[in-house]
Amino acid sequence: MPWIEMLRFSSRRSPVVCTRGCTATSQPLATDAGLDILKKGGNAADAAVAMAAVLSLTEPFSTGLGGDCNCMFYDGITKKVYGLNGSGRSPQALTLDLLKKEGFDDTNPLPLYHANLVTVPGAAAAWCDTIRLFGSKKELAQFGKKGFYEGRIARTIVEIIQQNGGVMNLDDLKEHTSTEVTPFFTDYKGLRIWELPPNGQGITALMALNMLENFNIRELGHNTADYIHLLSEAMKLSFADCFWFCADPAKVKVPVEELVSKHYSKQRSELINMQRTNSQPLHGNPCGGGSDTVYFTAVDAGGSACSFTNSNFSNFGTGLVPEGCGFALQNRGANFSLSSEHPNCLAPGKRPYHTIIPALATSAATGQLLCSYGVMGGFMQPQGHVQVLLNMLEFGMNPQEALDAPRFCVNYKKSDSTWKLSLEEGIHQSASQELIARGHNVHWPVSGHDRSLFGRGQIITKGAWWDLQLALTAEDGQEVLWAGSDPRADGCAIGF
């Protein structure tokens, strides 16, 4: 049966097609703000920071100056990919011994809204650094980074944290810096997929793609029981590694090159049994979090792209709002382990396991930009990256169809060491029944507002690379941009 007959959904949105520039976010006002910057001559990085600022107002529960951000930038002239880690660190005074004295340990973690889960907000610095490193012309606020990490704002941040039992001080804020990083990649059938290195979880997607390369994906059929079983087993094996090894490389050694090697992934793929799920309890999972993040992207007329993720972690983070500032402080520290044996254990001045992961795809042969994309949503993010990418590459979907298609999500429950496989409405009941027979703990169908579990993505592709039968260039020779915005959110893609 041809793959197209396996689709159990109807795309209700058309892809956006344009040539001069494109933006895509989960909120129309933010998308429009980014496009305005492109029309005025700004580049993709300028547009991304503008969209980040607007999203802080339109989706304050998901993002804001009290959170973190990560971004990747593709330079259309040099064809190089750059990365910026804008995540914050734990307070220098926060130690495992201090938490143990207060009764908290690996079996009794801090409540999700505790003030000691606030890590230094990295977004403000990263916005400034994104413009400094990659931007062309957008001015930032009058006082820049210093105005946020020193002075009145810094004092109010420290005051609200300490009033609620936290230990962050002014030096923690003053000493914060973003980090320029070199993105990691893997090649999958001619595409070079780029993700940021740890402390982010992007390597989870790369490890899964390496394993899946050893199977005939297209032959399985889209969202069949075999397809979902294979992808979910690959994701579980990838998470098993990432939950243990992903940590702050400035504090512990993280064997990234070994984890994303083809040889290692071939060995891991041999553990997949197509007839039975692997239900072995897996260790090292940091405390769980929510899906309250924003992902957005921009591609400009010069061929540059900015892939950007900004987040408070869970709904409004800790819920602590510095007086007169209008933003909530994140609770990203919930992703630390409180076990002294774990590489990701809490330590002073350390970055935690981080879920937010922007992505890019280029041609492995030429370095040409092919796709700027991402799917936000906690531990759904690498799963979303893999699913929407395969939707386009293996099954010929355009960006909007790839985002519309029903998704699955595997979640690890630390309390009883079990995995749950959630299937979105639109995946056929027969697939659900077959997966149950193979031993999966299936939740089907997930519908309505609960579909937020599957994240919210944005995609901008260049040259219709997923379908070579489509025209790749406009009449004037300009490459065509194709874009989509996730229907699970209220946003849109806009181009000109």
Side-chain angles (χ1 to χ4, degrees):
M1 180 179 292
W3 72 266
I4 193 67
E5 296 180 24
M6 299 301 298
L7 296 182
R8 303 285 183 178
F9 74 99
S10 176
S11 177
R12 297 181 182 272
R13 296 183 173 192
S14 299
V16 170
V17 182
C18 57
T19 58
R20 300 301 178 188
C22 188
T23 55
T25 80
S26 53
Q27 214 287 330
L29 293 175
T31 306
D32 197 43
L35 196 71
D36 282 345
I37 295 296
L38 295 183
K39 289 179 177 178
K40 293 175 181 177
N43 71 3
D46 301 317
V49 173
M51 293 187 290
V54 175
L55 284 166
S56 298
L57 297 175
T58 58
E59 293 192 37
F61 52 89
S62 296
T63 185
L65 285 169
D68 285 342
C69 72
N70 287 330
C71 88
M72 273 194 282
F73 183 78
Y74 174 88
D75 189 310
I77 297 176
T78 65
K79 298 184 180 180
K80 290 185 178 180
V81 178
Y82 301 89
L84 185 68
N85 184 334
S87 63
R89 301 165 181 84
S90 59
Q92 289 289 343
L94 188 60
T95 64
L96 288 177
D97 287 340
L98 176 65
L99 294 183
K100 286 179 180 178
K101 290 177 182 177
E102 296 179 358
F104 300 111
D105 57 28
D106 196 40
T107 61
N108 182 37
L110 291 100
L112 195 56
Y113 303 107
H114 197 286
N116 271 331
L117 293 183
V118 180
T119 49
V120 173
W127 292 4
C128 295
D129 291 331
T130 297
I131 297 299
R132 176 179 60 84
L133 293 169
F134 315 128
S136 63
K137 62 187 296 184
K138 186 176 167 285
E139 294 181 7
L140 288 172
Q142 181 179 359
F143 299 109
K145 286 189 286 186
K146 187 173 182 179
F148 187 90
Y149 294 96
E150 301 178 42
R152 183 191 70 83
I153 296 176
R155 288 194 297 273
T156 57
I157 290 173
V158 169
E159 285 170 4
I160 192 68
I161 291 174
Q162 293 188 355
Q163 287 169 7
N164 287 273
V167 297
M168 186 176 291
N169 60 39
L170 289 173
D171 285 340
D172 292 318
L173 290 161
K174 184 178 181 179
E175 294 170 3
H176 172 75
T177 58
S178 308
T179 304
E180 295 179 61
V181 295
T182 301
F184 274 83
F185 67 85
T186 195
D187 291 345
Y188 181 90
K189 298 188 177 181
L191 263 70
R192 181 154 291 176
I193 314 302
W194 298 85
E195 299 275 0
L196 294 179
N199 57 313
Q201 64 174 345
I203 58 171
T204 310
L206 301 185
M207 289 188 287
L209 287 170
N210 279 343
M211 281 185 268
L212 294 172
E213 196 174 38
N214 297 290
F215 299 84
N216 190 331
I217 299 295
R218 192 172 306 178
E219 188 178 75
L220 298 178
H222 183 262
N223 275 356
T224 61
D226 283 341
Y227 179 80
I228 296 171
H229 174 81
L230 173 60
L231 265 64
S232 63
E233 293 299 288
M235 292 307 315
K236 284 158 58 176
L237 287 168
S238 299
F239 274 125
D241 285 332
C242 200
F243 285 162
W244 181 258
F245 291 108
C246 184
D248 186 348
K251 300 292 183 178
V252 296
K253 177 175 173 54
V254 183
V256 178
E257 292 184 4
E258 293 85 351
L259 289 169
V260 300
S261 72
K262 298 289 187 180
H263 175 71
Y264 176 72
S265 295
K266 180 67 166 62
Q267 292 178 327
R268 296 290 278 172
S269 71
E270 292 169 356
L271 299 176
I272 297 176
N273 181 341
M274 288 299 294
Q275 303 306 315
R276 193 71 185 169
T277 186
N278 181 358
S279 58
Q280 180 181 356
L282 302 173
H283 69 279
N285 182 21
C287 301
S291 302
D292 300 295
T293 303
V294 290
Y295 171 79
F296 44 98
T297 179
V299 176
D300 59 42
S304 295
C306 195
S307 186
F308 208 102
T309 313
N310 217 110
S311 176
N312 288 335
F313 190 47
S314 68
N315 244 342
F316 287 105
T318 55
L320 299 177
V321 179
E323 185 176 355
C325 292
F327 59 81
L329 295 171
Q330 64 183 358
N331 51 352
R332 185 63 61 176
N335 265 358
F336 277 122
S337 170
L338 299 186
S339 168
S340 60
E341 305 296 319
H342 200 292
N344 184 47
C345 69
L346 172 71
K350 187 175 182 179
R351 283 170 159 156
Y353 178 117
H354 223 284
T355 56
I356 62 175
I357 50 170
L360 290 169
T362 61
S363 166
T366 67
Q368 185 69 33
L369 174 70
L370 297 177
C371 185
S372 180
Y373 70 107
V375 178
M376 53 68 63
F379 298 106
M380 178 64 203
Q381 293 185 59
Q383 303 179 62
H385 285 199
V386 171
Q387 290 177 64
V388 300
L389 187 70
L390 294 182
N391 286 349
M392 294 186 288
L393 184 62
E394 297 285 6
F395 300 107
M397 299 185 200
N398 67 49
Q400 189 60 59
E401 290 173 324
L403 290 169
D404 288 352
R407 298 180 195 143
F408 72 84
C409 179
V410 290
N411 280 322
Y412 180 65
K413 189 177 179 182
K414 186 177 179 182
S415 59
D416 58 3
S417 300
T418 59
W419 287 94
K420 183 167 103 174
L421 175 59
S422 298
L423 306 179
E424 190 173 15
E425 180 182 38
I427 293 176
H428 201 271
Q429 185 178 13
S430 62
S432 172
Q433 292 170 337
E434 287 187 46
L435 290 163
I436 292 172
R438 298 184 199 191
H440 291 275
N441 177 15
V442 174
H443 179 204
W444 175 92
V446 180
S447 59
H449 186 267
D450 291 339
R451 294 168 67 228
S452 62
L453 169 68
F454 303 103
R456 303 174 298 170
Q458 315 294 329
I459 301 174
I460 303 176
T461 65
K462 195 171 186 181
W465 57 268
W466 71 89
D467 189 340
L468 296 179
Q469 295 178 358
L470 295 176
L472 300 182
T473 59
E475 291 182 358
D476 61 358
Q478 185 84 10
E479 281 193 291
V480 174
L481 302 175
W482 292 67
S485 183
D486 205 305
R488 298 163 189 82
D490 300 322
C492 62
I494 306 178
F496 74 106

